[in-house]
């Protein structure tokens, strides 16, 4: 089921109007990065664009920082750095069930463009204290990631039982 869930979500995700996606993204990012936004930690993204693509859902957003606020767009002239991965892998990264570097070397996470900017984005993501998120979001993220992680594991091999007659 875990491997097929993104295929089931692809059509509803694509039919969701960008205005709704943008609102959800901005509210979610503001919640997750509240402290970083208050501290001005996104200044490195001022005038630059980060592309985030969920390959198997066919979704893509461009994120920047302007006037001390995050900005989300559906189209831009040119991104500076791009992060892309499949839905399940991105959830596992968000919940810290998988290491982004490991997925990068397995070619499950792609980072293209300005590598220095990509490293700054990765470091900012790593600095998030998941315990500071509201309890319902922590619970949903951890439960989803656990479900995905278990579903992506190879099925256990049946052990041969020997009779000792």
């Amino acid at each position: 089921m875990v491997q097929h869930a993104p295929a089931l979500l692809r059509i509803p995700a694509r039919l969701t109007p960008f205005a709704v996606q943008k609102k959800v993204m901005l509210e979610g990012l503001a919640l997750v990065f509240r402290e970083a936004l208050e501290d001005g930690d996104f200044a490195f993204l001022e005038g630059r664009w980060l592309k985030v693509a969920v390959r198997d859902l066919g979704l893509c957003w461009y994120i920047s920082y302007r006037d001390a606020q995050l900005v989300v767009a559906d189209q831009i002239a040119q991104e500076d750095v791009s992060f892309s991965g499949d839905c399940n892998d991105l959830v596992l990264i968000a919940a810290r069930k998988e290491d982004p570097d490991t997925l990068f070397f397995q070619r499950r996470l792609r980072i293209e463009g300005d590598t220095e900017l990509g490293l700054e984005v990765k470091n900012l993501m790593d600095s998030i204290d998941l315990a500071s998120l509201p309890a319902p979001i922590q619970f949903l993220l951890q439960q989803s990631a656990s479900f995905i992680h278990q579903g992506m594991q190879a099925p256990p091999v049946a052990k041969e039982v020997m009779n000792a007659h």
Side-chain angles (χ1 to χ4, degrees), residues 125-141:
M125 290 173 50
D126 287 343
S127 73
I128 297 169
D129 179 12
L130 295 180
S132 69
L133 295 176
I137 292 175
Q138 284 182 50
F139 179 78
L140 180 63
L141 181 60

Side-chain angles (χ1 to χ4, degrees), residues 29-165:
L29 291 170
L31 182 65
V32 171
F33 292 105
R34 180 181 50 81
E35 193 172 310
L37 286 165
E38 289 170 358
D39 294 344
D41 292 346
F42 276 91
F44 70 90
L45 203 51
E46 184 97 34
R48 304 174 89 187
W49 288 97
L50 161 67
K51 175 183 177 183
V52 177
V54 185
R55 290 188 305 253
D56 55 350
L57 295 184
L59 294 175
C60 173
W61 305 280
Y62 298 91
I63 303 167
S64 188
Y65 185 75
R66 185 179 327 130
D67 300 325
Q69 294 184 20
L70 289 173
V71 178
V72 175
D74 61 341
Q75 296 179 355
I76 60 163
Q78 178 68 43
E79 74 264 9
D80 295 284
V81 67
S82 171
F83 281 66
S84 64
D86 288 341
C87 180
N88 289 337
D89 289 332
L90 295 175
V91 170
L92 293 172
I93 291 169
R96 305 233 168 90
K97 298 277 187 193
E98 285 283 354
D99 177 50
D101 294 330
T102 300
L103 296 183
F104 174 78
F105 288 113
Q106 292 174 353
R107 299 183 184 206
R108 291 167 52 192
L109 174 66
R110 290 190 196 133
I111 303 171
E112 301 170 318
D114 183 335
T115 53
E116 186 176 322
L117 181 59
L119 186 57
E120 288 184 78
V121 170
K122 180 189 168 297
N123 289 339
L124 184 62
M125 290 173 50
D126 287 343
S127 73
I128 297 169
D129 179 12
L130 295 180
S132 69
L133 295 176
I137 292 175
Q138 284 182 50
F139 179 78
L140 180 63
L141 181 60
Q142 293 301 324
Q143 291 300 309
S144 298
S146 293
F147 179 74
I148 290 168
H149 194 263
Q150 289 173 353
M152 292 177 78
Q153 302 300 314
V157 178
K159 293 182 181 179
E160 187 175 321
V161 178
M162 300 183 86
N163 291 328
H165 293 334

